[in-house]
Amino acid sequence: MSIGKYLTSLSVLGAAAGITGVVRQTKSMPADWRRLVVWGVWAASLALAIAGVAKQDEDAQFAEDQKHLDV
């Protein structure tokens, strides 16, 4: 696995760039459970973006296999 595919993926870049909004939002929030929820949602979106990029190769292989089976 190369790190380049993660660094050039718009989904990963968008999720990573979302940290600016999270930081701005949590600065004005009280330090309670809601702040943790905001950070948790951001972390989950970043994890899903990374997982999506990791699965792209498997998805392409699956589509290729299905194409050969349909013939």
Side-chain angles (χ1 to χ4, degrees), residues 19-31 35 38-39:
I19 197 168
T20 58
V22 171
V23 168
R24 259 188 259 133
Q25 183 178 4
T26 56
K27 276 185 181 178
S28 62
M29 290 178 73
R35 182 182 286 194
V38 170
W39 280 103

Side-chain angles (χ1 to χ4, degrees), residues 41-63:
V41 168
W42 173 79
S45 69
L46 182 62
L48 285 172
I50 291 170
V53 172
K55 290 288 188 179
Q56 281 178 348
D57 293 337
E58 291 179 29
D59 291 343
Q61 183 62 41
F62 179 78

